[in-house]
Amino acid sequence: MLSAIVAGRRGSGLGFALPAIVLLLAFFVVPVVALLTRSVTEPELGLQNYVTLVGSSTYARIFFNTFFVSGVVTLITNADRGVSGGLGAGHHAAPMGFGCLCRHPSVDVDEPAGADLCLDGAAAADRAYQPQPDGNWG
């Protein structure tokens, strides 16, 4: 009975994820572990590198500048997301071909002149990458 269940069982799909897992380990996990190991073993075993890091005004200024610039950029980037879901001026963050499909002068569409043709989500997916009258895909 058990052998029949095991024989009919499909694979877990791990084979498809294996290349991504290997790359993640090789290019992220291994270097981070090596860096953290090195930070507590050089120049001698201990936490003296972290004591220097926390106790230095230079590093404090560097941390402050880094987080300040990151915060300002985040605020500017997300300034109008709550209102329109975009990045300002009607532009939307979306994968290539989706999001803001803006009118091109050579494309004849049914909307009246001057209409803003910006779509989100599924509506954009329906209109994206379809052949246009000028022969291009858009």
Side-chain angles (χ1 to χ4, degrees):
M1 175 82 176
L2 182 61
S3 61
I5 294 172
V6 172
R9 185 174 166 202
R10 292 178 176 234
S12 65
L14 185 63
F16 290 114
L18 194 58
I21 292 169
V22 168
L23 289 173
L24 187 65
L25 286 171
F27 293 107
F28 181 73
V29 174
V30 170
V32 168
V33 168
L35 191 70
L36 291 174
T37 302
R38 188 174 177 186
S39 74
V40 295
T41 59
E42 291 183 12
E44 7 176 282
L45 187 61
L47 298 176
Q48 69 275 3
N49 292 332
Y50 293 101
V51 171
T52 304
L53 182 72
V54 172
S56 171
S57 64
T58 302
Y59 289 118
R61 190 170 52 249
I62 290 170
F63 283 135
F64 174 79
N65 290 343
T66 300
F67 287 111
F68 179 77
V69 170
S70 298
V72 168
V73 168
T74 301
L75 288 174
I76 290 170
T77 303
N78 295 307
D80 73 334
R81 283 193 184 265
V83 176
S84 66
L87 296 174
H91 294 90
H92 301 282
M96 186 173 69
F98 300 96
C100 188
L101 301 176
C102 298
R103 179 188 304 279
H104 190 276
S106 66
V107 177
D108 185 25
V109 292
D110 296 328
E111 287 82 18
D116 191 14
L117 183 61
C118 284
L119 307 171
D120 286 320
D126 291 342
R127 299 285 300 263
Y129 295 116
Q130 294 184 9
Q132 301 298 319
D134 62 358
N136 292 322
W137 286 77

